[in-house]
Amino acid sequence: MPDHKRPSFEKLTDRQTEVYRYLVEFFEKNDQLPPTREVGRHFGILQNGARSHLMALERKGFLDRNKLGRLRFSRYPYPIIE
């Protein structure tokens, strides 16, 4: 993350919070993040809409990319939002 600031859940929209919660839930069950297509299917939106939500989470510092360019949770310690 370029600015090295700790992200805040207060910066997320309600929908982004829902998507983040889904990512955490999926990760806990599958030990990996869901594909974009699965995020779209889960929320009943097109893949491009799902990609937009994931990109917003990345911009806001909740997700980042590994050396292979795959999305992952940022390395900052986050509380699980309930």
Side-chain angles (χ1 to χ4, degrees):
M1 201 158 77
D3 61 3
H4 300 287
K5 291 182 183 174
R6 185 181 201 140
S8 168
F9 284 110
E10 296 167 7
K11 295 180 184 178
L12 297 181
T13 65
D14 290 343
R15 183 61 140 192
Q16 290 165 357
T17 300
E18 290 175 18
V19 171
Y20 188 80
R21 285 181 177 149
Y22 174 68
L23 296 178
V24 170
E25 177 185 309
F26 189 96
F27 187 85
E28 288 175 349
K29 291 178 183 174
N30 301 286
D31 207 30
Q32 65 183 21
L33 290 176
T36 306
R37 176 180 35 221
E38 177 61 24
V39 174
R41 187 201 63 72
H42 179 81
F43 288 98
I45 58 177
L46 296 174
Q47 194 169 349
N48 281 343
R51 187 176 295 112
S52 293
H53 288 303
L54 295 173
M55 288 171 58
L57 289 170
E58 185 178 5
R59 271 192 319 274
K60 293 180 178 187
F62 291 86
L63 300 175
D64 63 18
R65 294 192 181 267
N66 65 17
K67 290 182 182 182
L68 300 175
R70 305 277 183 177
L71 284 174
R72 65 179 181 186
F73 290 111
S74 293
R75 299 295 183 191
Y76 291 96
Y78 296 116
I80 301 297
I81 47 180
E82 301 182 24

